[in-house]
Amino acid sequence: MAVPFLWKAAALVEKHRTGLLAVSCAGLFGANLSYHVFPEQTFKLWYQCWCKGQPAELSEKLHSLFHDVLEDVGVKSVNCYQPFAAFGFHPVSAGIPWLPAGSLVGIPANFNSTAADRQGIVNRVVVINGREVDWESKQGLALKEALMFSPEAQKFAIAREIVYLQSNSPVVYAAVPPACLAGTCLSGVAIKQLLGLYSGPRVFRGIYNITIAAIGLVGYFLAYDAVSHTLDYRSDRRAATISKDYARGGVEFYDKILSRNRTLRMLLGKQGEKIYAPSGNLFPRYWFRLKHAPYTSRRDLIINILRVSQA
C-alpha cells in the first residue's frame, strides 16, 4: 500500500515541480534568515548573559568601546547596531542593519577585564569535565591569560562582527541553501530529459533521483563551507585594514583563541583531543566539512596585511 502512495506522490511532485520548487526555495531562505530579521526575539534570547536571574548589562566602558569601533569602521547609522552582554568568550552578532529591527552585537564579560582587574574572568564559574576551573592552577592561569584581550584586540573582534553585518553576510548565508536546492533540481531534470529517463523504467528514475539528491546534499555542504570561509576572510581583512592597531589586535585576538583552545584541549583530556588540534584549530566535526576557516590561516592573513602595510 505504501508503494502506490509513493508513486502517486512522485507523480504529483512531477506535475507541480515548478511551484513546489519556488515555495521550497522561498521557505528555506526565510527560515535561514528568520533570526536575523527578528534578532531581539530569537538571537538575543539565546545568547543573552544572565546574572542573578536578570539579563546582564554592559558596562559603560564596553558601551564606549563599541561606539568607538562604530566610528572607526565608518558606520553612519549608528542606531542600527546595538550591543548587549553575551555569554561566552568572544563577540557574536546577528541581524540586518537596513531592516527595522537592526542588528545586535553580543560582547562577552571577559572584555571588561584588564591586567589590573580580571573580574570579568575570575568571578565567573567555568565548569570543564564536571569540575570547576581553578584559576590559580597552571592551566587555570593559562586559560585566564588567553581570555584577557588588549583594547586593540577587543576593537578588532567587535569590528569584525560589525563588518560582517555591514556586508550583508547573513543574507549571503541564507541564499546558499535555496540556490543549491534550485541548482540540484533544475540540473537533475535537465539531465533526466537528456538521458531520456522519463520514458524509462520507474526503478531507474528512482535510483537516479536518490543519486542526484545525495550529490546535491554533498554539494550544499561544500558550497556552504566555501561561502563561510570566504566571508570569514573578508570580514577579517576589512577589520584588519582599518588601521595598524586593528591589525595588531587581530593577530593578538587569534593568538589568544589558539592559546585558549590548546589549554581546553589539555583540560578536556581525550574529549579535547577530538575537538581541538595541537595547533589550537578546531577539528572538523565531519570528515568532509570544515564550517569555518582555520584560526591559524586567519591569523596568518592578518600578519601578511600587517607586513604589507609596514613595508
Side-chain angles (χ1 to χ4, degrees), residues 17-204:
R17 64 190 177 201
T18 303
L20 287 172
L21 179 60
V23 171
S24 299
C25 289
L28 273 175
F29 183 75
N32 281 279
L33 207 61
S34 59
Y35 79 93
H36 291 288
V37 177
F38 307 104
E40 281 277 352
Q41 293 75 22
T42 54
F43 178 81
K44 188 175 181 179
L45 293 178
W46 182 260
Y47 283 98
Q48 175 70 57
C49 179
W50 292 76
C51 180
K52 297 179 181 178
Q54 298 293 327
E57 297 291 338
L58 279 182
S59 64
E60 288 297 325
K61 170 194 168 185
L62 291 182
H63 271 290
S64 177
L65 182 73
F66 183 78
H67 287 291
D68 288 344
V69 174
L70 288 177
E71 186 177 339
D72 292 340
V73 173
V75 173
K76 295 180 180 178
S77 303
V78 294
N79 292 331
C80 296
Y81 300 85
Q82 296 297 326
F84 72 97
F87 75 84
F89 295 113
H90 52 81
V92 292
S93 62
I96 302 171
W98 42 268
L99 289 181
S103 299
L104 296 175
V105 177
I107 304 176
N110 59 302
F111 273 38
N112 271 317
S113 303
T114 62
D117 181 10
R118 302 189 181 188
Q119 286 303 305
I121 299 173
V122 298
N123 63 345
R124 303 176 69 182
V125 176
V126 177
V127 179
I128 298 177
N129 267 353
R131 292 183 298 178
E132 185 177 338
V133 173
D134 179 7
W135 293 113
E136 299 306 318
S137 66
K138 181 179 178 181
Q139 292 175 340
L141 289 170
L143 183 60
K144 184 162 53 176
E145 184 63 31
L147 294 176
M148 190 181 67
F149 299 98
S150 69
E152 291 77 17
Q154 293 174 0
K155 284 186 175 182
F156 169 84
I158 296 172
R160 188 192 174 284
E161 298 301 323
I162 293 171
V163 166
Y164 171 85
L165 298 171
Q166 198 178 39
S167 57
N168 294 315
S169 296
V171 179
V172 177
Y173 269 124
V176 174
C180 290
L181 176 62
T184 301
C185 292
L186 294 176
S187 60
V189 169
I191 295 171
K192 192 185 292 185
Q193 290 176 340
L194 190 65
L195 297 176
L197 291 178
Y198 280 108
S199 58
R202 288 181 173 181
V203 175
F204 287 166

Side-chain angles (χ1 to χ4, degrees), residues 257-270:
I257 288 180
L258 290 166
S259 176
R260 179 199 67 190
N261 290 351
R262 288 193 295 268
T263 303
L264 291 174
R265 175 184 165 90
M266 291 186 290
L267 288 170
L268 288 168
K270 290 184 178 180

Side-chain angles (χ1 to χ4, degrees), residues 141-307:
L141 289 170
L143 183 60
K144 184 162 53 176
E145 184 63 31
L147 294 176
M148 190 181 67
F149 299 98
S150 69
E152 291 77 17
Q154 293 174 0
K155 284 186 175 182
F156 169 84
I158 296 172
R160 188 192 174 284
E161 298 301 323
I162 293 171
V163 166
Y164 171 85
L165 298 171
Q166 198 178 39
S167 57
N168 294 315
S169 296
V171 179
V172 177
Y173 269 124
V176 174
C180 290
L181 176 62
T184 301
C185 292
L186 294 176
S187 60
V189 169
I191 295 171
K192 192 185 292 185
Q193 290 176 340
L194 190 65
L195 297 176
L197 291 178
Y198 280 108
S199 58
R202 288 181 173 181
V203 175
F204 287 166
R205 292 207 304 270
I207 294 173
Y208 171 82
N209 289 337
I210 292 172
T211 304
I212 287 296
I215 294 173
L217 185 62
V218 173
Y220 159 71
F221 289 144
L222 296 176
Y224 187 90
D225 292 351
V227 170
S228 176
H229 289 198
T230 300
L231 295 177
D232 282 341
Y233 288 131
R234 184 176 70 177
S235 299
D236 288 340
R237 186 180 298 107
R238 288 187 58 187
T241 52
I242 294 174
S243 70
K244 289 182 180 180
D245 286 339
Y246 274 81
R248 294 189 189 97
V251 175
E252 179 195 333
F253 179 70
Y254 285 120
D255 272 335
K256 290 290 182 75
I257 288 180
L258 290 166
S259 176
R260 179 199 67 190
N261 290 351
R262 288 193 295 268
T263 303
L264 291 174
R265 175 184 165 90
M266 291 186 290
L267 288 170
L268 288 168
K270 290 184 178 180
Q271 184 184 355
E273 292 175 3
K274 296 178 181 179
I275 300 174
Y276 303 106
S279 63
N281 284 319
L282 295 172
F283 278 131
R285 183 172 296 181
Y286 307 103
W287 66 271
F288 63 92
R289 293 204 65 185
L290 186 61
K291 287 189 176 182
H292 294 284
Y295 292 126
T296 49
S297 63
R298 293 162 77 171
R299 178 196 59 191
D300 293 344
L301 170 70
I302 301 172
I303 289 173
N304 289 334
I305 291 172
L306 195 55
R307 286 173 179 168

